[in-house]
């Protein structure tokens, strides 16, 4: 697995120069700066502690430019919960000290050495094994995996106590290590893909050199894979990836089996059966065993799963929420971080960024929704990870329905095979309501006043019935230059059923810079107070208003009804 790019977290402008030097070493890393204190960061955050903990929980390597103590205290509550940690480093603001704190098995010392070299200082490495041998035996390079961590720790402490070691099998990276080698040693590092019980005093390291090609039709797939590996005497730890025919891309059984094995799932054209599929993919002399449903191929070298066939494409339709980063769901942030392509109306794509140089942005006009949806499927069908952005929630007058409509209309199997996910966001009506209090605290009705995609007569009918039913009302798309008269007409219909003093909330650019919130009444409301960036909430007969001590008013609709 490749690690995500590190996050460089700074508290003040004084650290920016050092942060930028580190960013040159990791061009995909983003600089996170404290809002109001740092200008020129890629992302701004409100609260240091919450931000650091969120990054840690998302397994993102953290490079914090502040005192080590601050980082330790901030992450302390999380440390006991987690087995595997991302690398965490504290770096002096002026770049004079690089201190690896956590994530020894996640390569923190490697990062520390790289950063220290970039800053022309020496990293404060404290791991005895690394200092003595120049490498972390417990953290083999990608393509290899350690058999048992606890056993490994004992092994390293024996070495530190003065024991010597034999190396069996091929471990090219260990050649550079300053291990006390001796052919007669009691301790041995054994590198190989064979399944066997480790002998006493033996550290097992498995090359990830095995590919398992399977048919999704196998009953109890992961158990069957385990049995096939056992029969072939191949260690499950050596499996680099699971491979299947691309016609079976959407199979949940395959996904589960890959998940249980903890390996990537790849696909290729497999019309000629799994044995041929496995042989074709490895492209080098390989031992093949197994049958027509599960074939095991062992390569001479570790395999890079990214070079084998292709992944199942993914298309996520995401909601950014109203705009503020803290109102964006963590699942949405994670999806944006691993996207290859980001599609959407330019304003929203920009709001979702910034993006790394390897991520492709496809900005289009707001009206080209169906075309954008089809383009998203074309990209995802190639195995890419694609995100379509909407503001608020993607299912509320936004892209999710357009994407599903494009899929429904299509008979293209590769589109239907895409892993399609809709990730929700906080919709403008709810974000606005929350700022005003609880105007939608009882039954309410959500309407778009745009007659671009539906006849005005339908809107009039719905308005009339909803107003009559005494539902609180939330108007999206209330007005635009191309639709100047509709709002006045809508208010006239509502006015037939509601008192003039009915509370009204106008939220403009809620959750975005320059947001405004205004509380007024139905008789005072005029279309000039509203534009296309405004959310209009109209109360029901029970909605009430009272002053807030800090100024302004609270608006709420009680949950009871007479
Ligand atoms: N999917 C979006 C709505 C898209 S329709 C959501 O769930 O919020 C666009 C309309 O939403 C705009 O015309 C405006 O009425 C409203 N809107 C979207 N974002 C807003 C914001 N930040 N503040 C106020 N209104 C907003």
């Amino acid at each position: 697995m490749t690690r995500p790019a590190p996050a460089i977290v700074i508290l003040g402008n004084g650290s920016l120069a050092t942060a930028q030097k580190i960013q040159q070493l990791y061009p995909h890393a983003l600089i996170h700066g404290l809002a109001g204190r740092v200008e020129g960061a890629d992302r701004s955050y409100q609260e240091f502690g919450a931000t650091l903990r969120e990054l840690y929980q998302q397994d993102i390597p953290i490079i914090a430019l502040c005192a080590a103590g601050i980082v330790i205290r901030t992450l302390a509550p999380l440390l006991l919960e987690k087995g595997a940690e991302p690398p965490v480093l504290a770096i002096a603001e002026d770049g004079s000290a690089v201190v690896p704190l956590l994530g020894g098995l996640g390569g923190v010392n490697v990062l520390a050495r790289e950063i220290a070299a970039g800053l022309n200082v020496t990293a404060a490495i404290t791991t005895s094994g690394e200092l003595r041998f120049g490498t972390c035996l417990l953290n083999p390079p990608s393509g290899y995996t350690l058999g048992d961590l606890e056993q490994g720790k004992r092994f390293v402490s024996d070495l530190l106590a003065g024991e010597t070691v034999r190396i069996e099998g091929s471990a090219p990276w260990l050649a550079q290590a300053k291990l006390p080698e001796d052919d007669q040693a009691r301790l041995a590092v054994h590198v190989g893909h064979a399944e066997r019980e480790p002998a006493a005093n033996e550290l097992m390291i498995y090359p990830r050199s095995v590919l398992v090609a399977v048919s999704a039709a196998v009953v109890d797939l992961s158990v069957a894979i385990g049995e096939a590996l056992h029969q072939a005497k191949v260690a499950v730890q050596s499996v680099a990836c699971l491979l299947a025919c691309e016609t079976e891309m959407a199979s949940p059984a395959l996904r589960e089996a890959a998940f249980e094995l903890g390996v990537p799932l790849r696909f290729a054209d497999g019309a000629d059966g799994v044995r041929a599929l496995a042989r074709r993919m490895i492209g080098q002399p390989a031992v093949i065993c197994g049958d027509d449903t599960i074939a095991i191929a062992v390569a001479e070298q570790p395999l890079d799963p990214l070079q084998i066939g292709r992944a199942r494409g993914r298309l996520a339709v995401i909601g950014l929420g109203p705009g503020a980063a803290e109102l964006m769901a963590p699942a949405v942030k994670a999806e944006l971080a691993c996207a290859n392509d980001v599609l959407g109306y330019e304003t929203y794509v920009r709001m979702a960024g910034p993006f790394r140089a390897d991520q492709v942005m496809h900005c289009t006009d707001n009206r080209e929704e169906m075309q954008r949806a089809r383009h998203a499927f074309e990209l995802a069908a190639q195995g890419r990870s694609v995100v379509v952005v909407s503001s608020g929630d993607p299912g509320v007058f936004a892209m999710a329905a357009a994407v599903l409509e494009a899929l429904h209309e299509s008979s293209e199997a590769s589109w239907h095979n895409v892993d399609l996910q809709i990730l929700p966001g906080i919709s403008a009506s709810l974000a606005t309501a929350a700022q005003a209090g609880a105007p939608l605290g009882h039954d309410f009705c959500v309407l778009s006043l745009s007659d671009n995609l539906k006849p005005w007569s339908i809107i009039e009918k719905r308005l009339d019935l909803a107003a009559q039913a005494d539902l609180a009302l939330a108007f999206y798309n209330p007005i635009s230059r191309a639709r100047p008269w509709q709002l006045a007409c809508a208010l006239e219909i509502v006015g037939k059923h509601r008192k003039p003093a009915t509370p009204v909330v106008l939220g403009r650019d809620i959750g975005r810079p320059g947001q405004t919130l205004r509380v007024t009444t139905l008789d005072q409301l005029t279309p000039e107070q509203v534009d296309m960036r405004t959310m209009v909430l109209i109360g029901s007969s029970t909605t009430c208003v009272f002053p807030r001590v800090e100024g302004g008013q609270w608006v709420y609709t009680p949950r009871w009804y007479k």
Side-chain angles (χ1 to χ4, degrees), residues 46-66:
Q46 299 290 338
E47 222 205 296
F48 179 76
T51 305
L52 223 58
R53 285 189 288 270
E54 190 178 317
L55 292 165
Y56 180 86
Q57 275 166 328
Q58 289 176 8
D59 248 348
I60 295 175
I62 299 171
I63 300 172
L65 273 68
C66 62

Short mmCIF file of all heavy atoms in Angstrom, two decimals, residues 46-66:
data_model
loop_
_atom_site.label_atom_id
_atom_site.label_comp_id
_atom_site.label_asym_id
_atom_site.label_seq_id
_atom_site.Cartn_x
_atom_site.Cartn_y
_atom_site.Cartn_z
N GLN A 46 -9.55 25.61 11.70
CA GLN A 46 -9.97 26.47 12.81
C GLN A 46 -9.30 26.05 14.11
O GLN A 46 -8.92 26.87 14.91
CB GLN A 46 -11.50 26.38 13.00
CG GLN A 46 -12.30 26.83 11.80
CD GLN A 46 -12.22 28.34 11.57
OE1 GLN A 46 -11.92 29.09 12.49
NE2 GLN A 46 -12.45 28.77 10.34
N GLU A 47 -9.18 24.72 14.29
CA GLU A 47 -8.74 24.25 15.60
C GLU A 47 -7.61 23.25 15.44
O GLU A 47 -7.76 22.22 14.78
CB GLU A 47 -9.93 23.57 16.28
CG GLU A 47 -10.06 23.93 17.73
CD GLU A 47 -10.79 22.84 18.46
OE1 GLU A 47 -11.97 22.63 18.15
OE2 GLU A 47 -10.15 22.19 19.31
N PHE A 48 -6.48 23.52 16.05
CA PHE A 48 -5.29 22.69 15.88
C PHE A 48 -5.53 21.24 16.32
O PHE A 48 -5.27 20.30 15.59
CB PHE A 48 -4.13 23.31 16.67
CG PHE A 48 -2.85 22.52 16.58
CD1 PHE A 48 -2.07 22.58 15.44
CD2 PHE A 48 -2.44 21.73 17.64
CE1 PHE A 48 -0.89 21.85 15.35
CE2 PHE A 48 -1.26 21.00 17.57
CZ PHE A 48 -0.49 21.07 16.42
N GLY A 49 -6.08 21.09 17.56
CA GLY A 49 -6.23 19.75 18.13
C GLY A 49 -7.14 18.88 17.28
O GLY A 49 -6.79 17.75 16.90
N ALA A 50 -8.31 19.41 16.94
CA ALA A 50 -9.28 18.63 16.17
C ALA A 50 -8.70 18.26 14.81
O ALA A 50 -8.88 17.13 14.32
CB ALA A 50 -10.56 19.43 16.00
N THR A 51 -7.96 19.19 14.21
CA THR A 51 -7.38 18.94 12.88
C THR A 51 -6.34 17.82 12.95
O THR A 51 -6.35 16.89 12.15
CB THR A 51 -6.73 20.23 12.35
OG1 THR A 51 -7.71 21.25 12.39
CG2 THR A 51 -6.21 20.06 10.94
N LEU A 52 -5.47 17.91 13.95
CA LEU A 52 -4.41 16.91 14.07
C LEU A 52 -5.01 15.52 14.32
O LEU A 52 -4.59 14.53 13.73
CB LEU A 52 -3.48 17.29 15.23
CG LEU A 52 -2.00 17.13 14.96
CD1 LEU A 52 -1.58 17.95 13.77
CD2 LEU A 52 -1.18 17.51 16.18
N ARG A 53 -6.02 15.48 15.20
CA ARG A 53 -6.62 14.18 15.51
C ARG A 53 -7.35 13.60 14.30
O ARG A 53 -7.31 12.41 14.05
CB ARG A 53 -7.57 14.32 16.71
CG ARG A 53 -6.80 14.45 18.03
CD ARG A 53 -7.72 14.36 19.23
NE ARG A 53 -8.53 15.55 19.37
CZ ARG A 53 -8.17 16.63 20.06
NH1 ARG A 53 -7.01 16.66 20.68
NH2 ARG A 53 -8.97 17.67 20.13
N GLU A 54 -7.98 14.46 13.52
CA GLU A 54 -8.70 13.98 12.33
C GLU A 54 -7.69 13.40 11.32
O GLU A 54 -7.91 12.33 10.76
CB GLU A 54 -9.49 15.13 11.72
CG GLU A 54 -10.44 14.69 10.62
CD GLU A 54 -11.25 15.85 10.06
OE1 GLU A 54 -11.72 16.69 10.84
OE2 GLU A 54 -11.39 15.92 8.82
N LEU A 55 -6.59 14.08 11.12
CA LEU A 55 -5.57 13.59 10.18
C LEU A 55 -5.03 12.25 10.66
O LEU A 55 -4.88 11.30 9.88
CB LEU A 55 -4.41 14.60 10.07
CG LEU A 55 -4.75 15.93 9.38
CD1 LEU A 55 -3.65 16.96 9.65
CD2 LEU A 55 -4.92 15.73 7.88
N TYR A 56 -4.75 12.17 11.96
CA TYR A 56 -4.21 10.94 12.54
C TYR A 56 -5.18 9.79 12.33
O TYR A 56 -4.79 8.69 11.92
CB TYR A 56 -3.96 11.19 14.03
CG TYR A 56 -3.38 10.01 14.78
CD1 TYR A 56 -2.01 9.79 14.81
CD2 TYR A 56 -4.21 9.13 15.46
CE1 TYR A 56 -1.48 8.71 15.50
CE2 TYR A 56 -3.67 8.05 16.16
CZ TYR A 56 -2.31 7.85 16.17
OH TYR A 56 -1.79 6.78 16.85
N GLN A 57 -6.47 10.06 12.58
CA GLN A 57 -7.45 8.99 12.45
C GLN A 57 -7.65 8.58 11.00
O GLN A 57 -8.05 7.46 10.72
CB GLN A 57 -8.78 9.41 13.09
CG GLN A 57 -8.72 9.10 14.58
CD GLN A 57 -9.81 9.77 15.37
OE1 GLN A 57 -10.26 10.86 15.03
NE2 GLN A 57 -10.23 9.15 16.44
N GLN A 58 -7.36 9.50 10.08
CA GLN A 58 -7.46 9.13 8.66
C GLN A 58 -6.17 8.50 8.15
O GLN A 58 -6.00 8.31 6.95
CB GLN A 58 -7.79 10.36 7.82
CG GLN A 58 -9.19 10.86 8.02
CD GLN A 58 -9.46 12.14 7.25
OE1 GLN A 58 -8.64 12.58 6.45
NE2 GLN A 58 -10.59 12.74 7.50
N ASP A 59 -5.22 8.25 9.07
CA ASP A 59 -3.96 7.59 8.70
C ASP A 59 -3.08 8.45 7.80
O ASP A 59 -2.31 7.92 7.01
CB ASP A 59 -4.27 6.27 7.98
CG ASP A 59 -3.86 5.10 8.82
OD1 ASP A 59 -3.16 5.33 9.81
OD2 ASP A 59 -4.24 3.97 8.48
N ILE A 60 -3.20 9.74 7.92
CA ILE A 60 -2.39 10.64 7.08
C ILE A 60 -1.12 11.00 7.86
O ILE A 60 -1.20 11.40 9.01
CB ILE A 60 -3.20 11.89 6.71
CG1 ILE A 60 -4.37 11.47 5.83
CG2 ILE A 60 -2.32 12.93 6.00
CD1 ILE A 60 -5.32 12.57 5.49
N PRO A 61 0.06 10.83 7.23
CA PRO A 61 1.29 11.22 7.92
C PRO A 61 1.25 12.71 8.29
O PRO A 61 0.80 13.53 7.50
CB PRO A 61 2.38 10.96 6.87
CG PRO A 61 1.78 9.98 5.92
CD PRO A 61 0.31 10.25 5.90
N ILE A 62 1.70 13.02 9.51
CA ILE A 62 1.60 14.40 10.01
C ILE A 62 2.99 14.98 10.22
O ILE A 62 3.82 14.38 10.90
CB ILE A 62 0.83 14.43 11.35
CG1 ILE A 62 -0.60 13.91 11.14
CG2 ILE A 62 0.82 15.84 11.93
CD1 ILE A 62 -1.37 13.71 12.45
N ILE A 63 3.22 16.13 9.63
CA ILE A 63 4.46 16.86 9.87
C ILE A 63 4.03 18.16 10.53
O ILE A 63 3.50 19.05 9.88
CB ILE A 63 5.20 17.14 8.53
CG1 ILE A 63 5.53 15.82 7.84
CG2 ILE A 63 6.44 17.98 8.78
CD1 ILE A 63 6.09 15.97 6.44
N ALA A 64 4.20 18.25 11.87
CA ALA A 64 3.71 19.42 12.59
C ALA A 64 4.88 20.33 12.91
O ALA A 64 5.87 19.89 13.50
CB ALA A 64 3.01 18.98 13.87
N LEU A 65 4.78 21.60 12.50
CA LEU A 65 5.87 22.53 12.78
C LEU A 65 5.60 23.24 14.09
O LEU A 65 5.12 24.39 14.11
CB LEU A 65 6.03 23.52 11.61
CG LEU A 65 6.95 22.98 10.50
CD1 LEU A 65 6.33 21.82 9.77
CD2 LEU A 65 7.35 24.08 9.54
N CYS A 66 5.85 22.53 15.18
CA CYS A 66 5.64 23.12 16.50
C CYS A 66 6.34 22.24 17.53
O CYS A 66 6.97 21.24 17.16
CB CYS A 66 4.14 23.21 16.81
SG CYS A 66 3.34 21.62 16.88
#
